[in-house]
Amino acid sequence: MAPKAGKTGDKSKAKALKAAKAVKRSTWRQSRKPRYSTVFHRPKTFEAPRKPKFPRLSAPSAQKLDHFQIIKFPLTTESAMKKIEDNNTLVFIVDVRSNKRQIKEAVARLYDIQTQKINTLIRPDGAKKAYVRLTTDYDALDVANKIGII
C-alpha cells in the first residue's frame, strides 16, 4: 500500500527544497565587522626575545673623566697672578667636557682645598678656563706655592 500524502510528505518535501536551495547558494554569510576608528592600526604580532650569541661589548668602558683628566694645568699669566693676589682665586685650564661640580670635586681631591665658587669660560682657542675662588679659610698664595705656580 502506498503511503498517504499527508503532513509527513509535506515536511520532507519542504526539507528537500530547503536543502536544494542551500546547495545552490551558500548558507554562510559574511557579516562585516563594524569599524569604530578612522585609522588602521596594524595588529601586534609575535616578537621573539633576543638571544645573542655573544655580548656586543667585550668589557665595560672606563670612566672618561677622572680628577687627573679634569684639571690639565694651572695658568701662570700676569692676570692669573693678579687674581691669586687680589681675589683669592686660582686659575686652571680644565677639560672642555667637565662641568663646575666636577671641577670643584677635582680641586678638592687634588689640592685639599674648599672652593667658594667656580666661574668657567671657553677661550677662543677651544680650551676651557676655570676661575676657582677659594673660601676664606684658604689663602690662594699659599696654595699656589704648594702647587708650584709661584
Side-chain angles (χ1 to χ4, degrees):
M1 207 159 141
K4 292 181 182 175
K7 290 187 177 183
T8 56
D10 291 340
K11 279 186 183 177
S12 61
K13 196 172 188 182
K15 199 173 185 182
L17 283 170
K18 192 175 183 183
K21 206 184 252 186
V23 168
K24 284 180 187 170
R25 66 167 175 79
S26 176
T27 56
W28 181 77
R29 288 274 183 231
Q30 180 180 8
S31 61
R32 204 170 264 240
K33 183 181 169 188
R35 300 186 68 101
Y36 300 109
S37 176
T38 56
V39 289
F40 175 75
H41 293 289
R42 191 175 52 78
K44 295 276 189 280
T45 56
F46 175 73
E47 277 187 39
R50 288 186 176 185
K51 298 181 285 191
K53 303 281 190 252
F54 60 91
R56 296 289 174 218
L57 296 173
S58 58
S61 58
Q63 186 182 6
K64 289 184 173 59
L65 287 176
D66 61 347
H67 52 277
F68 294 109
Q69 281 183 312
I70 289 173
I71 295 179
K72 292 183 179 177
F73 55 89
L75 264 187
T76 56
T77 58
E78 275 186 44
S79 60
M81 292 302 155
K82 192 165 177 14
K83 289 269 186 204
I84 290 172
E85 294 163 4
D86 297 344
N87 300 341
N88 202 31
T89 302
L90 295 172
V91 184
F92 293 100
I93 296 297
V94 296
D95 195 292
V96 178
R97 297 168 295 175
S98 60
N99 58 33
K100 291 183 182 183
R101 278 190 215 95
Q102 290 172 330
I103 295 167
K104 185 174 188 170
E105 191 179 313
V107 167
R109 272 192 176 177
L110 290 175
Y111 306 118
D112 299 320
I113 51 176
Q114 295 298 315
T115 59
Q116 184 178 335
K117 76 173 191 174
I118 294 175
N119 289 339
T120 58
L121 61 89
I122 295 182
R123 302 191 316 182
D125 66 351
K128 184 181 265 191
K129 189 195 294 187
Y131 294 98
V132 180
R133 177 90 184 261
L134 305 183
T135 57
T136 53
D137 307 343
Y138 299 96
D139 185 36
L141 270 170
D142 296 340
V143 175
N145 282 331
K146 191 174 95 174
I147 294 171
I149 298 174
I150 299 173

